[in-house]
Amino acid sequence: MISRSWRNLCRRYSQTVTFRTTESSPSQHNEKQIGLFYSVNHDLCKQLFAYGGLPKSFAKQTKTFTETAIMVRQPALDLIDCIKASDFNKPVIRYVMYGEKGSGKSLTLAHLLHYAYEEGYLIVHVPWVSEFLRRVPRHKEMSNSQTREGFVDLPLDVAAWLLHFKTQNQVLLKNTELKISRDYVWSKRESTVAGSPLSQLVEHGINRVKYACDVLDALVYEIKQLSNSKQCKTFVAIDGFNGFFCPLTRLHTPTKKKVKPEEVTLTGSFLELAKNDWSNGVVVVTADQLALPDDHQDSYLPRYLLYKKGFELLDPFVPIEVGRYTDKEFLSCASYYRDRLWLRGPPEIETELKFTSACNPYKFMEQCAPL
Amino acid sequence: MALCFSVKHLFPISKCYVKNIILNNVCKYTSKNVPTTNHALDNMTDWETLSKKKKISKAMKAYLERAKEHDEFMKKQEFEYKIGKRHLANMMGEDPETFTQKDVDRAIEYLFPSGIYDPAARPLMKPPEEVFPARKAAEFDEAGRPHHFLFYTGKPNFFKLLHDGAEHIQQAYNFEDKVIRKKAVPDPNGELNIDNSIWLTKEQLEQVLVESITDLEYDNFKLLMERLISLPYAYRHKEFIEKYRKPLVTQRFALEIPKPSYDDEGRAFVTTYECLRKKARGDVTIRVPGTGKITINGKDLTYFEDVQPREQVMFPLFFTNMQDRVDVECNIEGGGPSGQSGAIRWGIAWGLRSFVDKDMLEKMQVAGLLTRDHRRRERKKPGQPGARKKPTWKRR
Amino acid sequence: MSNVTHYLPVLKNPLLLRSPWSRLQKRFLGRPTSFPDYFQNPIFRKEDQAKLIENSELSKLAAVPVRPPAVYETSSVYHDPLVNKVINHVMEMGKKKLARELVEKAFENIKRKQIERYHLASSPEEKAKIILDPKTVLHRAIANSKPLLQLSPIKRGGITYQVPGPITEKRSLFLAIKWLLEATNEKDRTIHFPEQFARELLDAASNTGKVVKRKQDLHRQCEANRAYAHYRWQ
C-alpha cells in the first residue's frame, strides 16, 4: 500500500504527465483541465460509491488500475458552472443528461457527486433505477404495500438504498441539527417523534425492513421541508430516470400479473423528489437507453426515452448532451491507458482504435481490453 | 507355263499350286472363255483383290458412311444457322450483314425469356462447331492404313504432342552443348515471359486435341512442359510453348482509372457504383481533401455495431495511409454486416485508385483489395441436405 | 462488372463429362463459389509486403490475379493469424461474433490477472518476467503445449501397437489448440469460458497445468514405445 501511494506521488511530481491533473477538488476544476484525469481518494470512493454509482465495468477497472480516476469533461464543467450560478431561492432546476450508450453519463454523474460532497450538499443518489425495476435475479422480495392500496413494495431494495444514503451522508447526518418536523407512527409500539434527528429515521428504516418504503416517503417529505427551510441544500442524482416511465417492468405479483412502474411505491417517492415544488436544491437526471428493454432502444434523445409522462413531469428542464471523446480527450485517455498498462503496442494502434471505436469511451475501453 | 512357274515363286506354293491346277483345269474344261495366260493372271489378281475388298469393306464402308453423314449433317446445320441468323436479324430489325454472335445471343434472350437456373439449359443459338463436339477426320485411308504414325496408341494427337515436346527438349540440349563448345553466353534478351499465362487446363487440352485425357496423362504433359521451360534455351521454342499456354487477363485495375470530378466546393471526388458483395449493393463516393469522416447511409461508422465490419471498412484507408485525408460517403442496402462491409471495402479501394500513385496501386493489387468478390451463396441441391453436405454414406 | 467474366472458369461441355455425379454437380454451378486455382493468395500485412519489395517480386505478383482477403483479415497491427485460428476453433455453428467476444474476454482476464501480479511483485526483475501482453501469453502457451511426436496405431500379427512417429507442424498446432479447448470445457460449468480459458492459458504459458502435462505424458509414452518405432517401415 505504501509503495503504491509513493509511486503515485512520484508519478505526480516527477514525470511530465499530460493526462493527469493534480487538482483533486471538483469545485476548482476549470476549462484548463478538460481531458485530464484526476484521481479520487480511496476512502472517499468507498464512502460515496460503495453501493453503486460507478458503472460495473468501471468498478472492475478501478481494481485493475489500483485507483479511481475520472476525466474532467465539458458537460460536467458546464453543469458545475450552472449550479454555481443558480439562485437557490427559486424552485429547483432540473438537468437532464442524455447521450449515446457508453458516452460517459454515469461517470459525469459521479464527478458531480464528488463536487456535491465537497460543497456539503445532502446527497440523494439513486445509482441505477433498473436495479429496482428490471433486474430480477430469481425472486424479488415484494410485498403489497400497507399504506397504499394496490401498490407494490420492494422492502429489501429500499432498505439497501437507505443504507447507501446513510453512508453517503455520514458527515451531514452526524450533525444533529437536521430534525424531522412531524410525527410518524409505524405501529402500536414504534413511532418517531417530531424533533428527532433525521439519522434516527433512516436507522429505523434500515432496521425495520417492513416499514422501509414508508420511511422512504417520510424521508422525501422531510428533505423537502428541510431544503425549503434552508437548513440544508440537497443534491438529487438519479441515473436512468426514464426507467420509471417504461410501460412494463419485469416484476410479477404473486398472481402473475405484470406490474407497471407507477404501481411501485418507490417510483412515487422519487418522482416526488423530481418535481420542482421545492427550492434550495439541484436535481440531475440521466436518460439512458440501457434502462429500456432492447426492443425500445431506437434513439438516445430524451423526448423518446422519457415518454410523454416523464417529459411532462420534467418540463421545463435543462438538457445537457454528453458526447463522445474529442481528439484531445481521446489522446489523453489513450496515454492514461498506456500508463496504467492497459493498452500496449505500437503507436499506430491509437489511430486505428480511434476509428473502430468511433471515439465512444465505453467502446474504446472494451476494445483496448484484449490488446 | 513359264509364267505359271514364275507365279509359283511369287505366291506360297501349296495354296496357289492347288489354285493354279484348278484354274488350269477350269480353263481347260470351259470352252467359251478360253483365257490366255495373261488373262489367267489378271483373273487371279482380280479375285484376290475382290476378296480383300469384300473383307475390309464392311467396317470401312460403315466408317466412311458415318463420316460422310456427319459432314453432310454439319453442312446442313451450318446452312440452317446462317439462314436462321439472317431471319433473326430481320426479326430484330437489324442489318443481317453485321449481325454478330453477341447480337444473336441478345436476340434469343429477348425472344425466348427463360427462368431456368442453369445457363446451359436455356435456349441458345450458336454456330454448329460450338454446339456439336468436334470429330476427327478420317484416321485411316481406304486400304486401312492409318495416316498418323501413332494411331495404334489410341490417342495419336496427345502422344504426338509429347513426342514433339521431347524433341524440342533434345534440340535445346544440343544447342546448349554447341554454345558451350563455342564458349558463348545465352542471349539475355531472349527470356521467356511466363508470368502472365498458365498452362491450358485439362478440359481445354482435350478440346484442342479432340481426344480425352486421363489425369495422369495431363500431369505428365505438364511435367514435360515445365521441364522444357526450365532449360536456358527454351526461348528458341517459343511458338511451341505459347500454343499451350493460356494468357491470363491483363490486369484491369490499372487500365481504366477514372479521373476525379469536382463538386461545388472544389473538392475532387470519385464515385464507384455497383459495389457488390454477396447480396449487398451500393455505391461509394470518396472526396479529397477530407478529414477522415465516414458516413454510411447517413450514419457514422456506428452504423456497424460490431468491430469486424468497422475494421474491414478501415482496411483500405489504413493500408494506403489515407485515413485522415479522404472523406467517404456510401449508400448500401441488402445483405448483412459482412456483405455490406465487404462491398464498401472494395468500393473504397476501387475509388482510391484515382488518388494513389502507381507503387501503392501495385501494393493494393498484391493485397487483393482490388479484386471483385463475385462469390455467391451456393444453392442447395435436391437429394442433399445442403450445398455440399451429403446424406450419411452407407457402404451398402 | 466487366472483369467478372474473365474470372469465370471455362464451363465444361456437359457431353464431355464422364461420371453422372459430376455431371449433376456441374449442372447446378450457375455461379462460381470459389476462385479458380490459379488465383494467388493475398499478401496484405505490411511486413510481408516490405519483404516482397526487398526481393523486387512485387511487380511480378501484381500481374497475377489475386484473391481478395477474407472478412476477418486486416492489415492493421493487431491482427494475428494465430489468434484468428483459435477463434475459429472456439466457434460453433458459424457464430464468429460470439467466439471472438469470448476469446477477447479471455484476453482481458489474462491482462487483469497479469497486471495484478505486476503490481504485487516487488522487484524489477520479477516485474520484467511477467508477460503483460495476452497475445504473447497465447503464443507461449501454444508453443509449450505443441507435441513433437505422435502415436499411430499399427496392426502387426493381430496386435495393435502404438508406434511413435513424426508429426506435421499443422497437426501439432491443431492438437495444441484442441487440448487447450478440451481442458477449458471439461471442468465445472459454473465458471464461464473466458475465465477458465484465461486460467488454462496462463498455466500453459508457465509450463504447468493440464495441457502441458498431457503433452508430457504423450512424450513419455512415445519414449516408452521407442522399441516399436521400426514397425513404421515394416
Side-chain angles (χ1 to χ4, degrees):
Chain A
M1 304 302 121
I2 301 170
S3 60
R4 205 191 298 153
S5 51
W6 176 247
R7 220 183 304 128
N8 283 346
L9 266 173
C10 289
R11 211 174 280 127
R12 250 174 240 181
Y13 293 112
S14 60
Q15 291 169 316
T16 50
V17 282
T18 49
F19 53 84
R20 275 192 204 275
T21 169
T22 47
E23 189 60 63
S24 59
S25 152
S27 26
Q28 310 294 327
H29 285 158
N30 54 17
E31 268 148 22
K32 276 189 241 161
Q33 285 145 349
I34 285 189
L36 303 181
F37 283 87
Y38 81 96
S39 37
V40 183
N41 198 354
H42 196 63
D43 306 314
L44 187 62
C45 228
K46 262 202 218 163
Q47 190 186 340
L48 284 180
F49 303 125
Y51 294 98
L54 296 174
K56 290 201 187 94
S57 40
F58 191 77
K60 263 201 264 181
Q61 295 287 63
T62 39
K63 204 174 146 225
T64 315
F65 296 169
T66 63
E67 65 173 0
T68 324
I70 307 182
M71 191 197 258
V72 177
R73 294 184 73 194
Q74 186 62 39
L77 285 178
D78 285 340
L79 254 178
I80 292 180
D81 288 334
C82 282
I83 294 175
K84 281 187 195 168
S86 58
D87 185 359
F88 285 115
N89 296 325
K90 303 245 177 65
V92 282
I93 310 176
R94 274 101 46 105
Y95 303 92
V96 173
M97 288 207 286
Y98 67 97
E100 287 174 341
K101 273 193 264 195
S103 51
K105 299 183 283 291
S106 306
L107 278 183
T108 330
L109 206 60
H111 189 186
L112 289 167
L113 274 179
H114 187 196
Y115 168 75
Y117 179 78
E118 295 241 320
E119 298 285 310
Y121 282 77
L122 182 72
I123 302 176
V124 180
H125 170 56
V126 177
W128 185 236
V129 161
S130 299
E131 279 275 339
F132 303 146
L133 298 178
R134 304 196 61 79
R135 206 165 190 286
V136 187
R138 276 293 151 132
H139 171 69
K140 204 81 158 143
E141 263 280 333
M142 273 181 350
S143 60
N144 286 323
S145 168
Q146 276 138 3
T147 41
R148 293 192 225 178
E149 283 294 321
F151 273 64
V152 171
D153 252 358
L154 295 165
L156 287 180
D157 286 323
V158 177
W161 183 82
L162 282 172
L163 188 58
H164 172 61
F165 175 76
K166 189 175 129 189
T167 19
Q168 276 186 326
N169 298 307
Q170 271 170 346
V171 176
L172 273 178
L173 288 176
K174 274 194 212 153
N175 171 11
T176 47
E177 279 182 11
L178 302 168
K179 300 205 195 291
I180 356 182
S181 52
R182 56 178 197 193
D183 281 342
Y184 295 102
V185 181
W186 309 115
S187 68
K188 265 195 243 168
R189 280 178 245 161
E190 297 166 18
S191 65
T192 324
V193 181
S196 46
L198 204 59
S199 43
Q200 204 185 348
L201 190 64
V202 179
E203 289 287 327
H204 181 75
I206 296 172
N207 294 333
R208 300 292 322 225
V209 178
K210 192 168 144 189
Y211 302 114
C213 289
D214 302 321
V215 166
L216 183 61
D217 280 332
L219 192 66
V220 166
Y221 180 74
E222 290 307 319
I223 288 176
K224 282 199 181 172
Q225 293 296 318
L226 289 169
S227 302
N228 277 336
S229 56
K230 299 269 192 224
Q231 291 201 346
C232 69
K233 40 187 185 165
T234 320
F235 187 92
V236 179
I238 304 186
D239 205 347
F241 193 63
N242 52 327
F244 285 138
F245 306 109
C246 177
L248 284 177
T249 62
R250 282 210 194 125
L251 305 168
H252 309 271
T253 55
T255 53
K256 296 279 185 179
K257 193 182 86 156
K258 287 255 183 198
V259 177
K260 284 199 211 153
E262 305 96 49
E263 291 171 16
V264 185
T265 39
L266 48 89
T267 3
S269 327
F270 289 122
L271 287 178
E272 276 289 323
L273 257 187
K275 283 194 195 152
N276 58 350
D277 51 2
W278 50 289
S279 61
N280 202 16
V282 185
V283 176
V284 180
V285 146
T286 59
D288 203 343
Q289 271 177 311
L290 294 169
L292 296 183
D294 295 321
D295 314 335
H296 300 273
Q297 286 180 2
D298 285 324
S299 145
Y300 62 87
L301 300 168
R303 187 83 189 276
Y304 172 79
L305 290 173
L306 287 172
Y307 294 93
K308 196 161 166 234
K309 236 188 298 176
F311 201 78
E312 279 167 18
L313 186 88
L314 281 181
D315 198 28
F317 60 82
V318 179
I320 299 187
E321 189 185 351
V322 182
R324 303 178 186 166
Y325 280 152
T326 57
D327 287 338
K328 186 176 162 223
E329 287 176 346
F330 185 83
L331 281 172
S332 133
C333 191
S335 34
Y336 176 65
Y337 283 162
R338 269 190 202 275
D339 176 60
R340 294 278 92 202
L341 305 171
W342 187 239
L343 175 65
R344 329 182 78 238
E348 291 94 40
I349 281 189
E350 268 154 51
T351 31
E352 295 188 0
L353 281 176
K354 201 167 162 183
F355 266 89
T356 31
S357 64
C359 287
N360 186 320
Y362 181 62
K363 282 258 151 68
F364 180 48
M365 191 176 81
E366 256 188 355
Q367 279 173 17
C368 287
L371 292 177
Chain B
M1 280 303 153
L3 280 165
C4 282
F5 277 109
S6 59
V7 160
K8 251 198 253 174
H9 287 300
L10 282 169
F11 299 104
I13 298 172
S14 50
K15 224 197 315 180
C16 292
Y17 186 64
V18 169
K19 271 195 212 153
N20 277 343
I21 294 179
I22 292 173
L23 199 60
N24 284 338
N25 288 342
V26 163
C27 293
K28 278 181 197 166
Y29 295 122
T30 49
S31 50
K32 287 182 191 167
N33 275 332
V34 185
T36 55
T37 47
N38 284 341
H39 245 273
L41 188 60
D42 285 338
N43 273 353
M44 224 162 31
T45 49
D46 276 331
W47 198 69
E48 298 274 353
T49 44
L50 265 173
S51 59
K52 256 195 202 150
K53 260 193 200 156
K54 277 194 198 139
K55 263 194 216 161
I56 307 166
S57 72
K58 269 192 194 157
M60 261 315 287
K61 238 195 210 172
Y63 179 81
L64 287 170
E65 263 182 44
R66 255 187 284 136
K68 226 195 321 178
E69 262 180 43
H70 180 76
D71 284 329
E72 278 175 21
F73 173 74
M74 288 301 282
K75 265 193 222 146
K76 204 173 78 173
Q77 293 293 319
E78 186 73 42
F79 181 68
E80 280 183 7
Y81 173 74
K82 282 206 185 101
I83 297 243
K85 219 164 97 169
R86 294 186 81 87
H87 277 305
L88 200 60
N90 277 332
M91 267 197 272
M92 300 298 287
E94 299 199 20
D95 185 13
E97 305 296 330
T98 57
F99 208 56
T100 57
Q101 182 55 40
K102 268 197 183 166
D103 298 328
V104 171
D105 290 334
R106 249 190 312 125
I108 294 285
E109 229 185 282
Y110 172 70
L111 291 169
F112 302 99
S114 151
I116 299 180
Y117 183 82
D118 191 8
R122 295 183 199 146
L124 57 77
M125 182 163 158
K126 299 246 189 257
E129 300 92 51
E130 284 180 38
V131 178
F132 302 102
R135 266 170 167 242
K136 285 197 193 155
E139 296 172 28
F140 40 86
D141 59 8
E142 289 170 0
R145 291 200 193 94
H147 296 293
H148 205 284
F149 73 102
L150 288 172
F151 172 76
Y152 288 107
T153 58
K155 300 178 189 178
N157 289 348
F158 176 70
F159 285 103
K160 176 82 170 40
L161 167 62
L162 292 185
H163 182 79
D164 284 338
E167 239 192 73
H168 283 289
I169 290 178
Q170 196 56 43
Q171 282 173 7
Y173 280 151
N174 293 342
F175 187 74
E176 197 182 338
D177 288 337
K178 262 198 264 177
V179 163
I180 290 175
R181 248 179 274 139
K182 286 190 189 162
K183 299 210 170 104
V185 163
D187 184 15
N189 294 337
E191 287 298 324
L192 264 185
N193 188 12
I194 44 167
D195 291 333
N196 281 348
S197 49
I198 53 163
W199 295 117
L200 289 185
T201 53
K202 188 158 158 276
E203 289 82 16
Q204 287 163 338
L205 196 59
E206 280 178 357
Q207 275 185 344
V208 167
L209 299 174
V210 199
E211 281 161 9
S212 61
I213 308 175
T214 61
D215 283 329
L216 190 63
E217 287 167 358
Y218 178 67
D219 290 334
N220 281 339
F221 159 73
K222 271 218 287 213
L223 271 174
L224 180 83
M225 302 304 269
E226 292 289 322
R227 171 61 91 87
L228 179 58
I229 282 184
S230 65
L231 299 175
Y233 294 95
Y235 61 87
R236 299 180 80 236
H237 308 284
K238 213 182 197 176
E239 300 94 33
F240 176 70
I241 295 172
E242 297 282 303
K243 248 198 286 176
Y244 297 100
R245 274 200 87 90
K246 182 177 87 167
L248 292 177
V249 176
T250 47
Q251 290 313 308
R252 293 263 171 164
F253 69 90
L255 290 180
E256 302 149 343
I257 302 181
K259 279 221 172 93
S261 29
Y262 292 87
D263 64 355
D264 306 324
E265 298 152 27
R267 300 207 289 179
F269 74 95
V270 169
T271 320
T272 328
Y273 297 104
E274 279 191 11
C275 303
L276 336 153
R277 169 98 219 273
K278 282 174 148 193
K279 289 264 183 180
R281 302 280 178 274
D283 55 85
V284 174
T285 315
I286 302 187
R287 283 177 212 275
V288 156
T291 43
K293 243 185 353 165
I294 303 184
T295 322
I296 307 176
N297 280 359
K299 269 206 221 175
D300 202 13
L301 242 194
T302 38
Y303 174 79
F304 293 122
E305 276 158 20
D306 201 18
V307 180
Q308 194 168 282
R310 291 189 198 175
E311 279 178 11
Q312 286 298 296
V313 164
M314 279 171 16
F315 181 7
L317 293 172
F318 273 91
F319 188 77
T320 50
N321 287 324
M322 307 270 276
Q323 66 262 27
D324 38 355
R325 276 191 269 161
V326 290
D327 273 350
V328 176
E329 276 168 42
C330 23
N331 300 308
I332 17 155
E333 51 188 14
S338 291
Q340 287 185 340
S341 63
I344 297 177
R345 181 183 90 185
W346 183 81
I348 294 178
W350 203 246
L352 279 176
R353 286 183 309 161
S354 327
F355 301 111
V356 148
D357 58 336
K358 211 166 152 236
D359 273 337
M360 205 66 221
L361 204 61
E362 274 187 7
K363 283 192 202 166
M364 279 214 284
Q365 167 63 10
V366 171
L369 281 170
L370 298 170
T371 8
R372 246 321 189 26
D373 198 341
H374 61 270
R375 296 176 287 181
R376 300 278 175 265
R377 192 184 71 96
E378 199 173 309
R379 89 160 246 201
K380 173 191 169 330
K381 280 87 181 182
Q384 290 175 14
R388 297 279 171 118
K389 185 174 177 180
K390 316 277 187 289
T392 333
W393 181 73
K394 297 208 171 81
R395 199 184 288 271
R396 51 188 72 88
Chain C
M1 285 289 278
S2 44
N3 55 352
V4 175
T5 46
H6 290 276
Y7 298 154
L8 279 174
V10 173
L11 280 177
K12 282 192 184 180
N13 191 342
L15 296 171
L16 278 184
L17 286 170
R18 295 290 133 177
S19 81
W21 181 242
S22 55
R23 204 180 294 149
L24 182 76
Q25 275 194 314
K26 296 299 173 194
R27 249 192 72 209
F28 286 116
L29 277 180
R31 272 252 186 205
T33 44
S34 60
F35 290 97
D37 295 329
Y38 50 83
F39 271 72
Q40 303 290 327
N41 280 326
I43 301 171
F44 44 82
R45 311 225 54 206
K46 296 219 165 114
E47 311 93 48
D48 298 332
Q49 287 222 335
K51 268 190 235 166
L52 276 186
I53 292 172
E54 277 172 22
N55 301 342
S56 65
E57 286 181 1
L58 196 76
S59 29
K60 277 196 210 164
L61 277 177
V64 178
V66 178
R67 291 193 171 104
V71 187
Y72 45 81
E73 292 174 342
T74 56
S75 70
S76 64
V77 194
Y78 52 89
H79 167 256
D80 196 358
L82 190 67
V83 170
N84 187 51
K85 212 166 184 50
V86 169
I87 293 178
N88 282 347
H89 280 271
V90 167
M91 168 168 73
E92 275 173 40
M93 302 292 292
K95 290 185 175 175
K96 184 90 169 212
K97 191 169 163 184
L98 182 62
R100 187 175 167 152
E101 279 173 12
L102 287 173
V103 172
E104 295 203 334
K105 283 211 182 109
F107 282 172
E108 190 184 327
N109 286 345
I110 294 178
K111 210 156 134 182
R112 282 192 208 271
K113 286 194 195 172
Q114 294 290 77
I115 290 182
E116 254 187 72
R117 266 189 230 172
Y118 183 87
H119 285 304
L120 286 173
S122 39
S123 64
E125 296 110 23
E126 277 182 56
K127 281 195 204 272
K129 274 195 211 162
I130 297 178
I131 316 170
L132 287 170
D133 184 21
K135 283 199 192 115
T136 328
V137 169
L138 178 77
H139 282 272
R140 220 184 258 189
I142 289 188
N144 283 347
S145 46
K146 268 201 207 173
L148 301 166
L149 298 166
Q150 66 177 353
L151 291 172
S152 16
I154 294 186
K155 211 166 174 184
R156 294 259 181 271
I159 315 175
T160 319
Y161 298 104
Q162 295 286 337
V163 176
I167 197 174
T168 52
E169 182 65 36
K170 268 192 188 177
R171 180 152 172 87
S172 170
L173 177 66
F174 169 73
L175 279 178
I177 302 180
K178 182 173 158 190
W179 288 343
L180 276 170
L181 290 178
E182 272 179 20
T184 326
N185 284 329
E186 71 188 9
K187 271 224 168 163
D188 69 301
R189 288 297 195 170
T190 46
I191 309 181
H192 289 297
F193 178 87
E195 287 148 27
Q196 189 65 24
F197 194 47
R199 249 187 251 176
E200 296 293 333
L201 283 178
L202 282 170
D203 281 341
S206 53
N207 254 325
T208 52
K210 279 203 280 191
V211 182
V212 175
K213 183 167 167 296
R214 189 166 170 179
K215 170 194 99 154
Q216 283 165 352
D217 282 342
L218 177 66
H219 284 180
R220 245 173 268 145
Q221 267 284 80
C222 288
E223 187 63 33
N225 284 9
R226 217 170 44 173
Y228 303 135
H230 65 287
Y231 280 147
R232 273 178 67 224
W233 291 283
Q234 244 188 21

